[in-house]
Amino acid sequence: MIADKMKTMIQNSSAIRAMFEEGKKMAAQYGAENVYDFSLGNPNVPAPAKVKEAILEELENDDPVMLHGYMSNSGYEDVREAVANSLNKRFDTNFHAGNIVMTVGAAGGLNVALKTLLNPEDEVLVIAPYFGEYNSYVANYDGVVVVVSPDTETFQPNLKEMEEKITEKTKAVIVNSPNNPTGVVYSEKTIQAMADLLRRKQEEFHTDIYLISDEPYRELAYDGVKVPYLTKYYENTIVGYSFSKSLSLPGERIGYLVIPDEAADAEDIQAAANVATRILGYVNAPSLMQRAVARCLDAQADVPYYDRNREALYTGLKKLGFSCIKPEGAFYLFVKSPVEDERVFCQAAKKHHILIVPGSSFACPGYVRIAYCVSYETIVNSMDGFKKLAEEFQL
Ligand code: PLP
């Protein structure tokens, strides 16, 4: 018999899986071009040419035994140094190789960070709407998720409620900006206020509260919006980065953690993260990918591609009477459901071959997420279906 804990995890995960399978089934039935699958955050632009060149160069030039071998758990020293130097150049920080742990994507990085920090019953604040897998990651280490409810006016973190929910048991706060599912970028003002709040609470409870910044969408920001680099605002910050979205490499599983020297107990955390990577079974981040991304740290994400989709979807839906705020980053639009139970709306959308995700999956019922990492044609051609939905729901 499987573990009790896994039973609920299977249930949660199978809802998303079911949607994925349904999309494939519908594509086979109606033709892929007639199904508008906005359900998954899977980038549909190819990785930059530089990635392929870097992989080929590594395969041709590196010692094949070394290239495919184990290395230090935290990753290749020169790769970590290259990452640190690139961050220092971009954000005027002071990192060195010792601050970087190469990880198996953002998911791997978050698991390493939480394994490193959490004792059973420690509380982890998450700010709704949020990426649902945080629940499982925290449960992996017997932590307790504490949800800060959404501010549906702005989708910036509700700091007043955050203040009420921080206790002496709060070990970490996970933030994600640009945000999945809203596309909102947390403003500098918000970040400063959050940092002040966390410092105040640390003093009040004589604890250390770590801010874990989950940033797979950092490079996907529009109209020149500033995405604050959180280590500059709050000492006890751990950054989890991923190349999954920026370089369109989600299946390759590569990212990194930044554990700054300024963080409380930094040396212990760095040492623990190094061990956590190994004992969680990742052992180390994929070797070839580490070497490849080190050569591509300046490669640009295809922001204009997603920006065109963003404009088309946002203006198209607004014109039809849907209500949503314009995303500033990532590739998601979070739309208010025209009926209270957004699952009813998702079912209705399916009849028009439109697949979207209920906001309840992100602890924000009454909204739906539309992932626009799809072809431009998908967006244009889906508008007929959205028009019919607008009529059906009398917008
Ligand atoms: N965090 C957020 C907010 C995400 O949206 C995702 C993936 O969609 C992840 C983490 C996991 O990313 P990765 O593929 O880098 O593990």
Side-chain angles (χ1 to χ4, degrees):
M1 185 121 104
I2 63 167
D4 295 341
K5 223 169 158 182
M6 277 314 293
K7 289 179 190 161
T8 42
M9 291 194 187
I10 289 177
Q11 263 162 20
N12 295 341
S13 157
S14 64
I16 297 161
R17 195 80 218 162
M19 195 171 301
F20 182 61
E21 295 302 334
E22 181 133 17
K24 282 202 300 191
K25 217 165 77 192
M26 283 172 77
Q29 196 175 351
Y30 304 109
E33 70 285 6
N34 299 316
V35 176
Y36 313 108
D37 189 347
F38 296 105
S39 63
L40 284 187
N42 205 3
N44 76 322
V45 295
K50 214 170 161 183
V51 172
K52 182 173 172 186
E53 283 160 26
I55 292 171
L56 291 176
E57 273 170 32
E58 284 300 331
L59 285 171
E60 272 164 22
N61 299 330
D62 214 339
D63 173 337
V65 178
M66 288 288 288
L67 181 60
H68 300 302
Y70 291 128
M71 84 294 303
S72 133
N73 306 341
S74 295
Y76 286 110
E77 185 79 11
D78 60 332
V79 169
R80 295 158 67 206
E81 198 175 316
V83 169
N85 290 341
S86 161
L87 292 172
N88 294 343
K89 210 165 63 191
R90 291 179 62 197
F91 303 113
D92 195 24
T93 45
N94 232 337
F95 301 132
H96 54 88
N99 299 124
I100 310 296
V101 178
M102 300 306 293
T103 63
V104 178
L110 288 169
N111 273 278
V112 167
L114 293 167
K115 169 102 178 150
T116 293
L117 294 175
L118 295 188
N119 283 316
E121 307 299 320
D122 278 349
E123 292 175 356
V124 179
L125 253 64
V126 294
I127 297 157
Y130 66 93
F131 181 55
E133 293 206 352
Y134 295 159
N135 292 336
S136 305
Y137 301 165
V138 172
N140 282 344
Y141 313 105
D142 298 319
V144 177
V145 165
V146 176
V147 180
V148 177
S149 54
D151 170 350
T152 52
E153 287 294 308
T154 64
F155 288 110
Q156 296 280 326
N158 181 343
L159 294 183
K160 199 165 162 283
E161 188 176 318
M162 199 167 154
E163 173 148 25
E164 288 157 12
K165 292 207 163 155
I166 295 176
T167 71
E168 64 281 354
K169 284 190 170 173
T170 306
K171 192 66 185 279
V173 177
I174 304 179
V175 290
N176 164 228
S177 164
N179 182 262
N180 174 10
T182 63
V184 161
V185 172
Y186 294 173
S187 69
E188 185 169 38
K189 204 170 133 225
T190 301
I191 296 300
Q192 261 155 356
M194 189 187 289
D196 289 345
L197 167 62
L198 293 177
R199 276 191 212 103
R200 260 199 335 271
K201 287 289 171 185
Q202 288 189 139
E203 260 177 47
E204 181 182 337
F205 295 123
H206 305 287
T207 52
D208 296 314
I209 304 173
Y210 293 91
L211 186 59
I212 302 177
S213 179
D214 178 27
E215 339 197 307
Y217 304 100
R218 165 164 289 280
E219 322 303 342
L220 302 181
Y222 309 108
D223 301 331
V225 66
K226 183 176 173 186
V227 184
Y229 204 76
L230 299 198
T231 62
K232 306 191 67 155
Y233 297 83
Y234 183 66
E235 308 70 40
N236 289 340
T237 296
I238 295 175
V239 176
Y241 183 84
S242 167
F243 296 93
S244 291
K245 316 288 172 164
S246 56
L247 296 186
S248 295
L249 296 173
E252 301 296 350
R253 316 305 305 133
I254 186 76
Y256 59 81
L257 285 176
V258 184
I259 306 166
D261 292 336
E262 293 73 26
D265 299 320
E267 270 184 39
D268 284 350
I269 296 177
Q270 289 154 5
N274 179 61
V275 173
T277 296
R278 184 168 192 90
I279 64 179
L280 282 171
Y282 304 126
V283 180
N284 53 249
S287 170
L288 176 59
M289 279 303 130
Q290 284 192 48
R291 306 224 64 94
V293 294
R295 288 172 178 265
C296 300
L297 294 170
D298 297 324
Q300 300 284 320
D302 198 347
V303 177
Y305 180 93
Y306 296 120
D307 197 7
R308 184 173 177 232
N309 284 358
R310 174 181 76 127
E311 290 293 343
L313 187 64
Y314 175 76
T315 45
L317 293 188
K318 285 294 270 192
K319 230 184 263 171
L320 293 172
F322 287 99
S323 168
C324 54
I325 54 167
K326 192 170 186 180
E328 296 177 297
F331 38 49
Y332 307 105
L333 191 71
F334 206 50
V335 180
K336 189 161 174 40
S337 164
V339 276
E340 200 180 326
D341 184 350
E342 84 281 7
R343 285 164 305 187
V344 170
F345 181 61
C346 291
Q347 284 302 329
K350 211 183 285 170
K351 293 204 185 99
H352 301 287
H353 303 173
I354 293 173
L355 299 178
I356 50 182
V357 183
S360 326
S361 307
F362 308 93
C364 190
Y367 288 79
V368 295
R369 187 192 77 172
I370 307 180
Y372 56 84
C373 45
V374 296
S375 74
Y376 184 69
E377 290 66 38
T378 299
I379 292 175
V380 172
N381 295 337
S382 70
M383 281 302 146
D384 257 359
F386 279 115
K387 186 160 181 280
K388 288 184 185 125
L389 283 168
E391 286 161 7
E392 231 169 285
F393 288 92
Q394 298 173 349
L395 290 179

